[in-house]
Amino acid sequence: MKEENIEELERQFQEKIDNDIKIEPRDWMPDNYRKTLIRQISQHAHSEVVGMLPEGNWITRAPNLRRKAVLLAKVQDEAGHGLYLYSATETLGADREDTIDDLHDGTAKYSSIFNYPTLTWADMGAIGWLVDGAAIMNQVPLCRCSYGPYARAMVRICKEESFHQRQGFEIMTTLANGTPEQKAMAQDALNRFWWPALMMFGPNDADSPHTAQSMKWKIKRHTNDELRQQFVDVTVPQAELIGLTVPDPDLKWNEETGHYDFGPINWDEFWAVVNGNGPCNKERIDARRKAKEDGEWVREAANAYAAKKRTKKAS
Amino acid sequence: MNHLFEYVLRLGDDSLILGHRLSEWCGHGPVLEEDIAMTNIALDLVGQANSLLEYAANVEGKGKTADDLAFLRIDKEYRNLILVEQPNVDFGHTMMRQFLFDAYRKILFEKLLESGDEQIAAIAAKSLKETKYHLKHSSEWVIRLGDGTEESHRRIQNALDTLWRYTEELFYSDEVDESLRASGVLPDLSSLKQEWTNYVHAVLNEATLEIKEETWYFQNGRQGYHSEHLGYILAELQFMQRAYPGMEW
Ligand SMILES: [Fe+2]
Ligand SMILES: [Fe+2]
Ligand SMILES: [Fe+2]
């Protein structure tokens, strides 16, 4: 294609974006837009699927039947989210199995929060409340993402995430109102998950080189720091409400800005975990790899059986 | 012995323990679609366990809850089939265990629609809908794996060989069943085994699998004598309630 043509196509593309017209799979799009989306959506899909593991860890030990059912339903929802999101990457020409292989060999990333262990039942509360809570902050704006299939998947996903957030907060509330042991368990979970939850919004804006382009393409609507601030502002009063203490000595309400000020994030820890050196990185990837390897004969059998059925029909 | 309590407990414990086993798959399924399907079935079973154990607790009349029954009995007080406590091993074993159980459960629930006990009939009606879907799912997998590749055939045949010895217990019957039959709580269940056999044979046949008859069949689960596996299931299932007694969650 001639260069003027590409320029013209790019101009028309940006015009659509500026007018809030959704980009659909068959529409022309710049290569980088496609690549950025594939990277972002597949990371999101991997996060949903890897995220099943820390919570799946407590299903067989849930303290009563109601909590067990709610947790099962939640983890099942996360698998469903993974599935819609992998389908969304496929509309961009990515292959689901190739994308998953990228996760397994470490080329693709996922939300680093899932590399922290779930040590007590209270972690089910902390994850629902903080991790799904942070996911909602990140994802609600994505319902207006310029890429149609991603935006539509997010609408459905966000509804379920807000149910997850509520059940997590409900677990924390019950523990916080419980015995001293239960309250200590809840506080300990908050202590361990607070900072990793803040890290879920990604590096500070100054260290986030792709943000400007993503905002221009309306893949992203707010910067990392804006979303993180919004999360802190919403979550701190919730912690206060149930009598838990946010583990940040610098946290305080700022009358002037109308926001909470909070202490510095340990970015060394963030990068260490992103780069594979968190407490459970190896376990998580090993578990996903094992699921794929152990399932290989099942997938082969399903394909072989389907092929036999087709030949029978044809003959 | 309170026969109605005993009977409802048997039904409830089957759902509880199989639901527990299936939920161990969560996050580790062979494909995401199956992760979802198995979690969904586990969820149905936990729901059934809740309704059944709640009813059992009412019948017992000692002021207990479904959770008390689910989490605070000792091993000998569990009344589930030995089949449902068998380990997952691989996807083939899991589907075969599910298939043998679902086929029994579907026919049983169809019959229990006619129960003279309103609660049992109502729980059977609700559970039947779910169980039909479970059976369709497990039957399709048994066929697919049996008639899939050489490896899948070998694995699922192996599962059948391992699990067949636990199937006689599906039709275990004692004075509990007899007295409930006499009082009209239970309908006539005499054709259960034949109907199950017909269905199971038809599916196994389509799956190109063979039944090897056993010389020893396990059937003491209903009286509280289990395999070694149940103790470990209970250690996980009961962990929170035992470690933190008497708390609200
Ligand atoms: Fe999700
Ligand atoms: Fe998410
Ligand atoms: Fe969620």
Side-chain angles (χ1 to χ4, degrees), chain A residues 14-37:
Chain A
Q14 190 60 47
E15 197 175 272
K16 270 199 205 164
I17 301 241
D18 294 341
N19 290 313
D20 282 325
I21 297 169
K22 291 267 180 274
I23 308 300
E24 295 300 333
R26 286 158 187 272
D27 296 346
W28 185 89
M29 61 187 85
D31 276 351
N32 264 331
Y33 176 84
R34 186 186 299 276
K35 274 189 204 141
T36 302
L37 274 171

PDB file of all heavy atoms in Angstrom, chain A residues 14-37:
ATOM      1  N   GLN A  14      -8.419   7.505  13.340  1.00  0.00           N
ATOM      2  CA  GLN A  14      -8.398   8.376  14.513  1.00  0.00           C
ATOM      3  C   GLN A  14      -9.673   9.218  14.581  1.00  0.00           C
ATOM      4  O   GLN A  14     -10.172   9.510  15.663  1.00  0.00           O
ATOM      5  CB  GLN A  14      -7.144   9.266  14.496  1.00  0.00           C
ATOM      6  CG  GLN A  14      -6.901  10.032  15.804  1.00  0.00           C
ATOM      7  CD  GLN A  14      -6.705   9.119  17.026  1.00  0.00           C
ATOM      8  OE1 GLN A  14      -5.961   8.152  16.984  1.00  0.00           O
ATOM      9  NE2 GLN A  14      -7.420   9.413  18.120  1.00  0.00           N
ATOM     10  N   GLU A  15     -10.206   9.536  13.410  1.00  0.00           N
ATOM     11  CA  GLU A  15     -11.439  10.339  13.385  1.00  0.00           C
ATOM     12  C   GLU A  15     -12.595   9.549  14.019  1.00  0.00           C
ATOM     13  O   GLU A  15     -13.364  10.067  14.803  1.00  0.00           O
ATOM     14  CB  GLU A  15     -11.771  10.682  11.937  1.00  0.00           C
ATOM     15  CG  GLU A  15     -12.761  11.814  11.769  1.00  0.00           C
ATOM     16  CD  GLU A  15     -12.910  12.155  10.281  1.00  0.00           C
ATOM     17  OE1 GLU A  15     -12.115  12.985   9.789  1.00  0.00           O
ATOM     18  OE2 GLU A  15     -13.797  11.566   9.619  1.00  0.00           O
ATOM     19  N   LYS A  16     -12.648   8.273  13.662  1.00  0.00           N
ATOM     20  CA  LYS A  16     -13.677   7.422  14.269  1.00  0.00           C
ATOM     21  C   LYS A  16     -13.525   7.409  15.787  1.00  0.00           C
ATOM     22  O   LYS A  16     -14.489   7.553  16.525  1.00  0.00           O
ATOM     23  CB  LYS A  16     -13.501   5.972  13.793  1.00  0.00           C
ATOM     24  CG  LYS A  16     -14.250   5.600  12.558  1.00  0.00           C
ATOM     25  CD  LYS A  16     -14.310   4.079  12.550  1.00  0.00           C
ATOM     26  CE  LYS A  16     -14.463   3.501  11.187  1.00  0.00           C
ATOM     27  NZ  LYS A  16     -14.140   2.084  11.144  1.00  0.00           N
ATOM     28  N   ILE A  17     -12.280   7.183  16.218  1.00  0.00           N
ATOM     29  CA  ILE A  17     -12.013   7.127  17.662  1.00  0.00           C
ATOM     30  C   ILE A  17     -12.438   8.436  18.309  1.00  0.00           C
ATOM     31  O   ILE A  17     -13.126   8.436  19.325  1.00  0.00           O
ATOM     32  CB  ILE A  17     -10.511   6.876  17.916  1.00  0.00           C
ATOM     33  CG1 ILE A  17     -10.103   5.578  17.261  1.00  0.00           C
ATOM     34  CG2 ILE A  17     -10.182   6.964  19.401  1.00  0.00           C
ATOM     35  CD1 ILE A  17      -9.582   4.511  18.131  1.00  0.00           C
ATOM     36  N   ASP A  18     -12.057   9.559  17.685  1.00  0.00           N
ATOM     37  CA  ASP A  18     -12.384  10.851  18.280  1.00  0.00           C
ATOM     38  C   ASP A  18     -13.892  11.053  18.365  1.00  0.00           C
ATOM     39  O   ASP A  18     -14.392  11.721  19.259  1.00  0.00           O
ATOM     40  CB  ASP A  18     -11.737  11.986  17.473  1.00  0.00           C
ATOM     41  CG  ASP A  18     -10.210  11.934  17.577  1.00  0.00           C
ATOM     42  OD1 ASP A  18      -9.710  11.275  18.531  1.00  0.00           O
ATOM     43  OD2 ASP A  18      -9.524  12.513  16.708  1.00  0.00           O
ATOM     44  N   ASN A  19     -14.632  10.450  17.425  1.00  0.00           N
ATOM     45  CA  ASN A  19     -16.093  10.580  17.450  1.00  0.00           C
ATOM     46  C   ASN A  19     -16.775   9.454  18.226  1.00  0.00           C
ATOM     47  O   ASN A  19     -17.986   9.267  18.115  1.00  0.00           O
ATOM     48  CB  ASN A  19     -16.635  10.607  16.026  1.00  0.00           C
ATOM     49  CG  ASN A  19     -16.261  11.895  15.333  1.00  0.00           C
ATOM     50  OD1 ASN A  19     -16.424  12.976  15.900  1.00  0.00           O
ATOM     51  ND2 ASN A  19     -15.708  11.782  14.130  1.00  0.00           N
ATOM     52  N   ASP A  20     -15.968   8.700  18.966  1.00  0.00           N
ATOM     53  CA  ASP A  20     -16.508   7.603  19.776  1.00  0.00           C
ATOM     54  C   ASP A  20     -17.254   6.560  18.955  1.00  0.00           C
ATOM     55  O   ASP A  20     -18.228   5.970  19.418  1.00  0.00           O
ATOM     56  CB  ASP A  20     -17.425   8.135  20.902  1.00  0.00           C
ATOM     57  CG  ASP A  20     -16.602   8.682  22.056  1.00  0.00           C
ATOM     58  OD1 ASP A  20     -15.523   8.111  22.332  1.00  0.00           O
ATOM     59  OD2 ASP A  20     -17.021   9.685  22.678  1.00  0.00           O
ATOM     60  N   ILE A  21     -16.789   6.333  17.731  1.00  0.00           N
ATOM     61  CA  ILE A  21     -17.349   5.225  16.950  1.00  0.00           C
ATOM     62  C   ILE A  21     -16.498   4.000  17.234  1.00  0.00           C
ATOM     63  O   ILE A  21     -15.261   4.060  17.171  1.00  0.00           O
ATOM     64  CB  ILE A  21     -17.339   5.553  15.433  1.00  0.00           C
ATOM     65  CG1 ILE A  21     -18.233   6.763  15.179  1.00  0.00           C
ATOM     66  CG2 ILE A  21     -17.788   4.345  14.605  1.00  0.00           C
ATOM     67  CD1 ILE A  21     -18.103   7.333  13.785  1.00  0.00           C
ATOM     68  N   LYS A  22     -17.146   2.883  17.581  1.00  0.00           N
ATOM     69  CA  LYS A  22     -16.400   1.680  17.965  1.00  0.00           C
ATOM     70  C   LYS A  22     -15.663   1.081  16.776  1.00  0.00           C
ATOM     71  O   LYS A  22     -16.161   1.075  15.660  1.00  0.00           O
ATOM     72  CB  LYS A  22     -17.358   0.616  18.520  1.00  0.00           C
ATOM     73  CG  LYS A  22     -17.950   1.012  19.863  1.00  0.00           C
ATOM     74  CD  LYS A  22     -17.126   0.458  21.013  1.00  0.00           C
ATOM     75  CE  LYS A  22     -17.696   0.849  22.366  1.00  0.00           C
ATOM     76  NZ  LYS A  22     -17.233   2.161  22.853  1.00  0.00           N
ATOM     77  N   ILE A  23     -14.475   0.570  17.050  1.00  0.00           N
ATOM     78  CA  ILE A  23     -13.718  -0.172  16.044  1.00  0.00           C
ATOM     79  C   ILE A  23     -14.150  -1.635  16.148  1.00  0.00           C
ATOM     80  O   ILE A  23     -14.192  -2.195  17.239  1.00  0.00           O
ATOM     81  CB  ILE A  23     -12.197  -0.058  16.305  1.00  0.00           C
ATOM     82  CG1 ILE A  23     -11.781   1.406  16.444  1.00  0.00           C
ATOM     83  CG2 ILE A  23     -11.407  -0.786  15.225  1.00  0.00           C
ATOM     84  CD1 ILE A  23     -12.054   2.287  15.247  1.00  0.00           C
ATOM     85  N   GLU A  24     -14.493  -2.234  15.011  1.00  0.00           N
ATOM     86  CA  GLU A  24     -14.945  -3.631  15.013  1.00  0.00           C
ATOM     87  C   GLU A  24     -13.886  -4.503  14.326  1.00  0.00           C
ATOM     88  O   GLU A  24     -13.042  -4.000  13.594  1.00  0.00           O
ATOM     89  CB  GLU A  24     -16.307  -3.747  14.332  1.00  0.00           C
ATOM     90  CG  GLU A  24     -17.448  -3.026  15.081  1.00  0.00           C
ATOM     91  CD  GLU A  24     -17.695  -3.543  16.513  1.00  0.00           C
ATOM     92  OE1 GLU A  24     -17.387  -4.732  16.786  1.00  0.00           O
ATOM     93  OE2 GLU A  24     -18.174  -2.757  17.354  1.00  0.00           O
ATOM     94  N   PRO A  25     -13.944  -5.842  14.561  1.00  0.00           N
ATOM     95  CA  PRO A  25     -12.868  -6.728  14.081  1.00  0.00           C
ATOM     96  C   PRO A  25     -12.521  -6.565  12.599  1.00  0.00           C
ATOM     97  O   PRO A  25     -11.358  -6.659  12.227  1.00  0.00           O
ATOM     98  CB  PRO A  25     -13.430  -8.121  14.356  1.00  0.00           C
ATOM     99  CG  PRO A  25     -14.353  -7.943  15.506  1.00  0.00           C
ATOM    100  CD  PRO A  25     -14.923  -6.560  15.370  1.00  0.00           C
ATOM    101  N   ARG A  26     -13.525  -6.318  11.737  1.00  0.00           N
ATOM    102  CA  ARG A  26     -13.223  -6.240  10.306  1.00  0.00           C
ATOM    103  C   ARG A  26     -12.710  -4.884   9.849  1.00  0.00           C
ATOM    104  O   ARG A  26     -12.274  -4.735   8.710  1.00  0.00           O
ATOM    105  CB  ARG A  26     -14.482  -6.561   9.488  1.00  0.00           C
ATOM    106  CG  ARG A  26     -14.831  -8.020   9.507  1.00  0.00           C
ATOM    107  CD  ARG A  26     -16.290  -8.224   9.170  1.00  0.00           C
ATOM    108  NE  ARG A  26     -16.625  -9.631   9.354  1.00  0.00           N
ATOM    109  CZ  ARG A  26     -16.484 -10.557   8.414  1.00  0.00           C
ATOM    110  NH1 ARG A  26     -16.042 -10.228   7.215  1.00  0.00           N
ATOM    111  NH2 ARG A  26     -16.792 -11.811   8.677  1.00  0.00           N
ATOM    112  N   ASP A  27     -12.775  -3.896  10.748  1.00  0.00           N
ATOM    113  CA  ASP A  27     -12.328  -2.560  10.362  1.00  0.00           C
ATOM    114  C   ASP A  27     -10.812  -2.498  10.241  1.00  0.00           C
ATOM    115  O   ASP A  27     -10.096  -3.230  10.919  1.00  0.00           O
ATOM    116  CB  ASP A  27     -12.760  -1.529  11.420  1.00  0.00           C
ATOM    117  CG  ASP A  27     -14.278  -1.428  11.522  1.00  0.00           C
ATOM    118  OD1 ASP A  27     -14.961  -1.947  10.609  1.00  0.00           O
ATOM    119  OD2 ASP A  27     -14.770  -0.856  12.514  1.00  0.00           O
ATOM    120  N   TRP A  28     -10.356  -1.601   9.392  1.00  0.00           N
ATOM    121  CA  TRP A  28      -8.912  -1.368   9.322  1.00  0.00           C
ATOM    122  C   TRP A  28      -8.447  -0.782  10.651  1.00  0.00           C
ATOM    123  O   TRP A  28      -9.149   0.020  11.262  1.00  0.00           O
ATOM    124  CB  TRP A  28      -8.581  -0.413   8.176  1.00  0.00           C
ATOM    125  CG  TRP A  28      -7.104  -0.254   8.011  1.00  0.00           C
ATOM    126  CD1 TRP A  28      -6.286  -1.029   7.244  1.00  0.00           C
ATOM    127  CD2 TRP A  28      -6.265   0.710   8.662  1.00  0.00           C
ATOM    128  NE1 TRP A  28      -4.987  -0.621   7.385  1.00  0.00           N
ATOM    129  CE2 TRP A  28      -4.934   0.452   8.248  1.00  0.00           C
ATOM    130  CE3 TRP A  28      -6.503   1.759   9.567  1.00  0.00           C
ATOM    131  CZ2 TRP A  28      -3.846   1.204   8.682  1.00  0.00           C
ATOM    132  CZ3 TRP A  28      -5.414   2.513  10.010  1.00  0.00           C
ATOM    133  CH2 TRP A  28      -4.102   2.234   9.565  1.00  0.00           C
ATOM    134  N   MET A  29      -7.277  -1.184  11.118  1.00  0.00           N
ATOM    135  CA  MET A  29      -6.696  -0.590  12.322  1.00  0.00           C
ATOM    136  C   MET A  29      -5.185  -0.622  12.207  1.00  0.00           C
ATOM    137  O   MET A  29      -4.620  -1.514  11.569  1.00  0.00           O
ATOM    138  CB  MET A  29      -7.168  -1.326  13.582  1.00  0.00           C
ATOM    139  CG  MET A  29      -6.781  -2.790  13.636  1.00  0.00           C
ATOM    140  SD  MET A  29      -7.529  -3.673  15.040  1.00  0.00           S
ATOM    141  CE  MET A  29      -9.137  -4.124  14.364  1.00  0.00           C
ATOM    142  N   PRO A  30      -4.499   0.357  12.819  1.00  0.00           N
ATOM    143  CA  PRO A  30      -3.032   0.346  12.761  1.00  0.00           C
ATOM    144  C   PRO A  30      -2.484  -0.907  13.458  1.00  0.00           C
ATOM    145  O   PRO A  30      -3.075  -1.375  14.431  1.00  0.00           O
ATOM    146  CB  PRO A  30      -2.622   1.600  13.545  1.00  0.00           C
ATOM    147  CG  PRO A  30      -3.854   2.414  13.726  1.00  0.00           C
ATOM    148  CD  PRO A  30      -5.016   1.508  13.590  1.00  0.00           C
ATOM    149  N   ASP A  31      -1.384  -1.402  12.941  1.00  0.00           N
ATOM    150  CA  ASP A  31      -0.766  -2.598  13.534  1.00  0.00           C
ATOM    151  C   ASP A  31      -0.532  -2.458  15.032  1.00  0.00           C
ATOM    152  O   ASP A  31      -0.740  -3.397  15.788  1.00  0.00           O
ATOM    153  CB  ASP A  31       0.594  -2.874  12.874  1.00  0.00           C
ATOM    154  CG  ASP A  31       0.398  -3.663  11.593  1.00  0.00           C
ATOM    155  OD1 ASP A  31      -0.742  -4.118  11.355  1.00  0.00           O
ATOM    156  OD2 ASP A  31       1.380  -3.796  10.827  1.00  0.00           O
ATOM    157  N   ASN A  32      -0.077  -1.279  15.425  1.00  0.00           N
ATOM    158  CA  ASN A  32       0.238  -1.095  16.839  1.00  0.00           C
ATOM    159  C   ASN A  32      -0.988  -1.089  17.739  1.00  0.00           C
ATOM    160  O   ASN A  32      -0.914  -1.508  18.889  1.00  0.00           O
ATOM    161  CB  ASN A  32       1.033   0.199  17.054  1.00  0.00           C
ATOM    162  CG  ASN A  32       2.512  -0.119  17.103  1.00  0.00           C
ATOM    163  OD1 ASN A  32       2.892  -1.224  17.507  1.00  0.00           O
ATOM    164  ND2 ASN A  32       3.330   0.826  16.679  1.00  0.00           N
ATOM    165  N   TYR A  33      -2.074  -0.603  17.183  1.00  0.00           N
ATOM    166  CA  TYR A  33      -3.352  -0.632  17.929  1.00  0.00           C
ATOM    167  C   TYR A  33      -3.729  -2.086  18.176  1.00  0.00           C
ATOM    168  O   TYR A  33      -4.046  -2.494  19.288  1.00  0.00           O
ATOM    169  CB  TYR A  33      -4.419   0.083  17.102  1.00  0.00           C
ATOM    170  CG  TYR A  33      -5.836   0.069  17.701  1.00  0.00           C
ATOM    171  CD1 TYR A  33      -6.212   1.009  18.655  1.00  0.00           C
ATOM    172  CD2 TYR A  33      -6.786  -0.848  17.256  1.00  0.00           C
ATOM    173  CE1 TYR A  33      -7.509   1.023  19.179  1.00  0.00           C
ATOM    174  CE2 TYR A  33      -8.079  -0.847  17.765  1.00  0.00           C
ATOM    175  CZ  TYR A  33      -8.436   0.092  18.723  1.00  0.00           C
ATOM    176  OH  TYR A  33      -9.713   0.103  19.227  1.00  0.00           O
ATOM    177  N   ARG A  34      -3.620  -2.882  17.103  1.00  0.00           N
ATOM    178  CA  ARG A  34      -3.939  -4.310  17.225  1.00  0.00           C
ATOM    179  C   ARG A  34      -3.018  -4.990  18.244  1.00  0.00           C
ATOM    180  O   ARG A  34      -3.476  -5.710  19.122  1.00  0.00           O
ATOM    181  CB  ARG A  34      -3.791  -4.977  15.838  1.00  0.00           C
ATOM    182  CG  ARG A  34      -4.229  -6.431  15.785  1.00  0.00           C
ATOM    183  CD  ARG A  34      -3.925  -7.061  14.430  1.00  0.00           C
ATOM    184  NE  ARG A  34      -4.610  -6.416  13.317  1.00  0.00           N
ATOM    185  CZ  ARG A  34      -5.861  -6.684  12.921  1.00  0.00           C
ATOM    186  NH1 ARG A  34      -6.563  -7.606  13.537  1.00  0.00           N
ATOM    187  NH2 ARG A  34      -6.411  -6.036  11.904  1.00  0.00           N
ATOM    188  N   LYS A  35      -1.725  -4.720  18.117  1.00  0.00           N
ATOM    189  CA  LYS A  35      -0.752  -5.369  19.030  1.00  0.00           C
ATOM    190  C   LYS A  35      -0.989  -4.952  20.477  1.00  0.00           C
ATOM    191  O   LYS A  35      -0.931  -5.777  21.386  1.00  0.00           O
ATOM    192  CB  LYS A  35       0.684  -4.992  18.628  1.00  0.00           C
ATOM    193  CG  LYS A  35       1.232  -5.905  17.551  1.00  0.00           C
ATOM    194  CD  LYS A  35       2.713  -5.647  17.332  1.00  0.00           C
ATOM    195  CE  LYS A  35       3.096  -6.085  15.929  1.00  0.00           C
ATOM    196  NZ  LYS A  35       4.057  -5.172  15.278  1.00  0.00           N
ATOM    197  N   THR A  36      -1.228  -3.654  20.653  1.00  0.00           N
ATOM    198  CA  THR A  36      -1.455  -3.166  22.019  1.00  0.00           C
ATOM    199  C   THR A  36      -2.666  -3.856  22.626  1.00  0.00           C
ATOM    200  O   THR A  36      -2.640  -4.296  23.777  1.00  0.00           O
ATOM    201  CB  THR A  36      -1.678  -1.633  22.001  1.00  0.00           C
ATOM    202  OG1 THR A  36      -0.534  -1.032  21.414  1.00  0.00           O
ATOM    203  CG2 THR A  36      -1.892  -1.092  23.394  1.00  0.00           C
ATOM    204  N   LEU A  37      -3.731  -3.958  21.833  1.00  0.00           N
ATOM    205  CA  LEU A  37      -4.944  -4.604  22.343  1.00  0.00           C
ATOM    206  C   LEU A  37      -4.722  -6.078  22.637  1.00  0.00           C
ATOM    207  O   LEU A  37      -5.154  -6.581  23.670  1.00  0.00           O
ATOM    208  CB  LEU A  37      -6.078  -4.455  21.330  1.00  0.00           C
ATOM    209  CG  LEU A  37      -6.879  -3.172  21.431  1.00  0.00           C
ATOM    210  CD1 LEU A  37      -7.813  -3.077  20.238  1.00  0.00           C
ATOM    211  CD2 LEU A  37      -7.690  -3.104  22.724  1.00  0.00           C
TER     212      LEU A  37
END
